[in-house]
Amino acid sequence: MHVPDGFINAPVSVAAGVAAGVAVAVSLRGARRELDERTAPLAGLVAAFIFAVQMLNFPVAAGTSGHLLGGALAAILVGPYTGVLCVSVVLLMQGILFADGGLTALGVNVTVMGVVTVVVAYAIFHGLLGILPPTRRSVTVAAFAGALLSVPAAAAAFTAIYAIGGTTDVAIGKVFTAMVGVHVLIGIGEAAITAATVGAVIAVRPDLVHGARGLTAPLKLRVGGELVDAPAAAATPVAARSTRKVWATGLVTALVLAGFVSYYASASPDGLEKVAADKGIDEKVEDHAAADSPLADYGVKNVDDARLSGGLAGVIGVGVTVAAGTGIFWAVRRRRTDELTATSVSAG
């Protein structure tokens, strides 16, 4: 659902940019409460993982594909404020380096793909956890529902923005029906990916899942080929458990998805592209300002082999995103630590 330049007029694009800026500023403050020494680097990994999975378009209907938006996944894994920042980092990297999503439309994309998806998904997720039993399965079910509904909500939000600032004269009712209809199908894929990922992390490290705080995970030992509960004395305090294995596994997974699996992704236009072409929304689309980027369209310039070019671009994208994201989240965490230290010194 990456909105290109030219879909939305300048005044509304500016207004969306201001709204996105306010949302990011609020999220920067909120993320200080969500991040700690263990989760700050994992938030950068979540951003890189979202980047990688967004390269994996899956077919949803004849001639139409979809891909993960990632707001629900990020919010549940690292918290809603940090989730908005994760998606924003991904969109910034995609727009600047890969010419995916217009630069003048960055505010629209952050608002629709970052803020709306996170708010809707986490509200549904949190609401369901309030009535479901406090189990890992409940977290996975709530994650599925939140992710499922966040995608058509984002489609509806785009339609509302287009109704105000669209650059072509089209029937908004038809756009709304087409956008929400196809994105309900895409939402099923989003929900499946989100639930599977959250479930996988919860199975091994529930303490690292923001949305699963409060759940306990007894340490397991493999005895005779079977997993059994470890004696209480053998359990390692949660705070002392290293995140390196999870981080390394996640990074390798993201690199494999972006570097190899992405070659087999669907080549059909995604939901927004299909609706835009069918309804005439794209009549005034503009060339991307970064169209001449060495990585434009997720390929490395002057590398003729399509598989190699796309794979290298994906690997570079994951590397840049995890570096940028980790740097940002460490800075946010350090700012919080400095503030607490200053407050403690003043109080003493």
Side-chain angles (χ1 to χ4, degrees):
M1 201 185 295
H2 293 75
V3 180
D5 296 317
F7 275 24
I8 308 298
N9 64 30
V12 175
S13 293
V14 171
V18 172
V22 171
V24 169
V26 171
S27 296
L28 283 169
R29 293 186 63 85
R32 297 176 194 173
R33 299 190 298 271
E34 294 174 343
L35 296 169
D36 56 30
E37 288 75 9
R38 296 178 307 130
T39 57
L42 290 175
L45 176 62
V46 169
F49 184 80
I50 291 173
F51 174 90
V53 180
Q54 282 195 2
M55 294 182 67
L56 308 180
N57 280 47
F58 49 84
V60 295
T64 309
S65 70
H67 62 70
L68 181 81
L69 299 187
L73 178 62
I76 294 164
L77 288 179
V78 293
Y81 293 108
T82 308
V84 170
L85 298 180
C86 283
V87 179
S88 298
V89 168
V90 173
L91 292 171
L92 183 61
M93 295 299 103
Q94 291 171 331
I96 293 176
L97 299 179
F98 298 91
D100 189 10
L103 297 183
T104 63
L106 182 60
V108 174
N109 285 321
V110 169
T111 300
V112 171
M113 295 179 63
V115 180
V116 172
T117 57
V118 166
V119 170
V120 172
Y122 201 75
I124 293 170
F125 173 80
H126 192 265
L128 286 175
L129 284 188
I131 60 177
L132 293 173
T135 64
R136 298 179 187 180
R137 177 170 294 182
S138 295
V139 173
T140 304
V141 170
F144 185 96
L148 174 65
L149 296 176
S150 70
V151 178
F158 165 78
T159 306
I161 293 174
Y162 195 82
I164 300 171
T167 55
T168 57
D169 185 16
V170 297
I172 297 302
K174 293 182 178 180
V175 173
F176 176 84
T177 301
M179 282 292 292
V180 173
V182 72
H183 283 91
V184 165
L185 299 177
I186 294 173
I188 296 173
E190 177 104 8
I193 295 170
T194 300
T197 305
V198 170
V201 178
I202 263 188
V204 294
R205 291 295 301 270
D207 58 295
L208 296 180
V209 179
H210 179 89
R213 290 180 177 179
L215 298 181
T216 57
L219 182 66
K220 299 285 187 177
L221 296 178
R222 188 173 295 279
V223 179
E226 297 183 358
L227 290 177
V228 298
D229 290 340
T236 304
V238 169
R241 297 172 66 184
S242 173
T243 62
R244 292 180 180 178
K245 185 175 181 179
V246 173
W247 196 91
T249 301
L251 181 60
V252 169
T253 301
L255 289 171
V256 170
L257 292 175
F260 298 96
V261 181
S262 62
Y263 179 77
Y264 302 99
S266 172
S268 299
D270 66 21
L272 176 59
E273 292 172 333
K274 179 65 173 175
V275 172
D278 290 346
K279 305 301 180 183
I281 293 176
D282 60 355
E283 289 180 4
K284 295 185 179 180
V285 66
E286 300 173 3
D287 292 335
H288 200 287
D292 294 329
S293 166
L295 299 172
D297 297 323
Y298 298 94
V300 177
K301 193 174 183 179
N302 297 326
V303 176
D304 296 329
D305 185 277
R307 186 192 297 265
L308 179 61
S309 178
L312 286 175
V315 168
I316 292 170
V318 168
V320 172
T321 304
V322 75
T326 301
I328 290 171
F329 296 125
W330 266 120
V332 171
R333 176 57 189 168
R334 182 173 292 277
R335 177 77 176 272
R336 173 63 173 172
T337 302
D338 292 344
E339 288 179 353
L340 290 175
T341 301
T343 301
S344 177
V345 171
S346 298

